[in-house]
Amino acid sequence: MIRCAEVEKTYTLGSERVHALRGVDLSIERPGFYGIMGQSGSGKSTLLHLLAALDRPDAGEIEIAGKAIHTLSEREATAFRRKGLGIVFQSFNLIPTLSASENIELPGLLAGEDRQWLRKRSAELLDLLGLGERGRHRPEAMSGGEQQRVAIARALLYSPPVLLADEPTGNLDSANSDRLWRLLGKVAEEQDITVVMVTHEPAAASHCERVFVIRDGTVHGTIETEGLDAGGVAARYQQFIGAA
Ligand SMILES: Nc1ncnc2c1ncn2[C@@H]1O[C@H](COP(=O)(O)OP(=O)(O)O)[C@@H](O)[C@H]1O
Ligand SMILES: [Mg+2]
């Protein structure tokens, strides 16, 4: 589903060069709920940006669902982002004047999709994400957790094989965070897709089936989380990161 080989990315800030990624190798073979875990500044968001074809690696190869992302032109990358993958961020980025349903349908409306199909699809997605009653509500009338679920529904509009999430619970309290992690696991399983979540929290990572630990721009190891709770994941994580 996802394959990275020797992926490198360097940012230049004035005269300073930041090696954000120094040779990332990572392979996800089948659908499921996966985590990328690391401390602030370790390169997590950079990696997710590259997976989403929002930016290009300086070296290395990235393949998603059989497509070589690193070779796409600007135009091809835009098309890939529309249907080949969904992405959500810490901020929900909903349009405040539109209802939940309208927010979910908006990318399709802009692309000229059939309105009836859009209505049906957004109703399905509201159901999938436990928002059945919330379709007519505007973001301001919803909790943060509900708004993030609308953002996830919007990202799933075209049933992409891959959903990426960058610290999706960064703005949520712990009860809403827990609910969202469970939901991402359910989405991966029921829709048979690959969900990749970036996080620095063991509690989040414990919901994933496998966690890639990233440190200083490379993958330092993986954690198989079966049978581990948040404390167990935290302990394994510390082995890779050191008592920093
Ligand atoms: N656009 C950018 N320009 C310059 N440096 C950047 C840029 N984006 C990220 N970096 C640097 O790259 C490193 C990795 O950042 P990032 O991928 O955002 O880490 P994380 O998401 O794990 O906190 C950091 O040192 C950060 O300051
Ligand atoms: Mg980040």
Side-chain angles (χ1 to χ4, degrees), residues 52-200:
L54 287 163
D55 203 352
R56 272 163 174 263
D58 298 321
E61 296 174 2
I62 303 176
E63 222 177 76
I64 297 197
K67 217 181 176 86
I69 299 310
H70 58 286
T71 64
L72 298 181
S73 68
E74 232 10 83
R75 239 179 99 157
E76 291 167 332
T78 304
F80 166 75
R81 281 197 302 272
R82 186 176 303 145
K83 295 195 174 174
L85 137 154
I87 186 161
V88 294
F89 302 94
Q90 183 171 328
S91 56
F92 319 129
N93 302 320
L94 301 177
I95 309 281
T97 53
L98 298 182
S99 70
S101 297
E102 290 165 342
N103 267 286
I104 296 168
E105 293 164 23
L106 186 62
L109 269 183
L110 296 176
E113 306 293 349
D114 177 68
R115 282 178 184 245
Q116 237 176 326
W117 176 79
L118 280 171
R119 264 292 126 95
K120 192 165 149 274
R121 181 69 185 142
S122 69
E124 275 170 19
L125 288 165
L126 286 166
D127 252 9
L128 174 71
L129 291 156
L131 291 164
E133 310 299 311
R134 301 305 240 169
R136 292 168 180 275
H137 292 250
R138 288 191 190 175
E140 64 180 9
M142 292 185 278
S143 71
E146 287 169 336
Q147 290 183 58
Q148 187 61 298
R149 282 186 268 150
V150 173
I152 292 169
R154 180 180 55 189
L156 294 174
L157 182 67
Y158 288 112
S159 310
V162 173
L163 175 70
L164 306 176
D166 192 350
E167 312 252 14
T169 58
N171 287 329
L172 304 183
D173 61 29
S174 65
N176 272 304
S177 296
D178 199 72
R179 179 151 190 208
L180 199 89
W181 297 325
R182 287 175 201 285
L183 207 50
L184 287 172
K186 180 183 115 154
V187 164
E189 187 173 334
E190 289 184 4
Q191 307 292 298
D192 200 30
I193 66 175
T194 300
V195 177
V196 181
M197 174 174 69
V198 156
T199 185
H200 62 271

Side-chain angles (χ1 to χ4, degrees), residues 39-46 49 90 166-167 198:
Q39 288 167 318
S40 178
S42 57
K44 305 183 297 296
S45 294
T46 301
H49 269 80
Q90 183 171 328
D166 192 350
E167 312 252 14
V198 156

Side-chain angles (χ1 to χ4, degrees), residues 11-56:
Y11 294 110
T12 307
L13 270 183
S15 60
E16 213 185 316
R17 288 160 68 76
V18 180
H19 295 275
L21 300 178
R22 302 164 180 262
V24 169
D25 294 302
L26 179 160
S27 172
I28 292 176
E29 319 250 299
R30 55 183 186 81
F33 186 18
Y34 299 87
I36 295 175
M37 192 178 182
Q39 288 167 318
S40 178
S42 57
K44 305 183 297 296
S45 294
T46 301
L47 179 57
L48 220 68
H49 269 80
L50 299 184
L51 292 177
L54 287 163
D55 203 352
R56 272 163 174 263

